[in-house]
Amino acid sequence: MRLYQMHYSPWSERARWALEHHHLSFEKVEHVPVLGVPLLRAVAKRPWGKITVPLLVAGDQSVQGSLEIARWAEEKGTGEPLFPPGQDEAIERWHQVGEGLLEAGRILVTRRVAGDREAQRESTPAFVPEGLRGAVAAGAGVVTGLLAQKYGFSGVDSSTARAQAREGLLALRAALPSGARHLIGERFSYADLLMAASLQFLRPVADLYMPIGPATRRCWSNPDLAEEFADLLAWRDQIFAEHRR
Ligand SMILES: N[C@@H](CCC(=O)N[C@@H](CS)C(=O)NCC(=O)O)C(=O)O
């Protein structure tokens, strides 16, 4: 089983976490944004339509999208369920909140990476030899431009993205009254997992969970939002400490 993914992406982290939670073993294949799309299309046998990672390929089956992969893992794997019975709508609602957050985060982070040569160097694929990394990183500007087109945020300014992020963060705060640990019922569920992973662009989780380079960490940090929502980051860190193997 292969998971096409990006090591620093919170969408990929949701899929990795759900698969590992359910004791499913898989090989990770690092996707190169935009440039790796033809390979994704070939392995998923999807010649058209939007294609993104995470993408799971298991035998002749392919599953695209973090929520779909988590549901697939729940069906095929073992261990404590992540989808409590009768809560599909609640999970779907949290998925939408998480998408809103990460779309806003993608805008803020991609803009920063576009202006940070060191982060571009860190994101060049591992197979590129050290001496060529600077040259390959120079092409990253083109890739970030293509990403802006693919995800339709070329014309969205950073303050609009920030406002969209705050909306999702306030919704999460409202659902976690002081001391509350879980979004649905009394147990850890996929809602906790997906929202915890979605806070990555405020302040990335410790390298222990998702190792990233220092410049990438810098680009994925929004100190003002991290300070305003420090309570949510404390909740996120606790969820990782307790549930991320
Ligand atoms: N709804 C999808 C969104 C996934 C997504 O947006 N993936 C982006 C992460 S930045 C991606 O594949 N980017 C690389 C590319 O488009 O080549 C999910 O939940 O998995």
Side-chain angles (χ1 to χ4, degrees), residues 6 11 31 33-34 37 52-54 65-66 99 106 147 150-151:
M6 297 190 298
W11 283 280
H31 168 69
V34 182
V37 164
T52 55
V53 292
S66 50
E99 290 302 273
R106 169 163 39 215
L147 278 177
K150 177 170 177 179
Y151 295 101

Side-chain angles (χ1 to χ4, degrees), residues 6 8-12 14 31-37 40 50-55 64-69 95 99 102-103 106 110 147 150-151 190 220:
M6 297 190 298
Y8 52 84
S9 166
W11 283 280
S12 292
R14 293 173 183 169
H31 168 69
V32 183
V34 182
L35 304 180
V37 164
L40 295 184
K50 195 166 190 171
I51 194 146
T52 55
V53 292
L55 171 79
Q64 181 180 220
S66 50
L67 178 58
E68 292 74 7
I69 294 171
H95 176 72
E99 290 302 273
L102 286 189
E103 275 159 22
R106 169 163 39 215
T110 309
L147 278 177
K150 177 170 177 179
Y151 295 101
Y190 185 68
W220 279 84

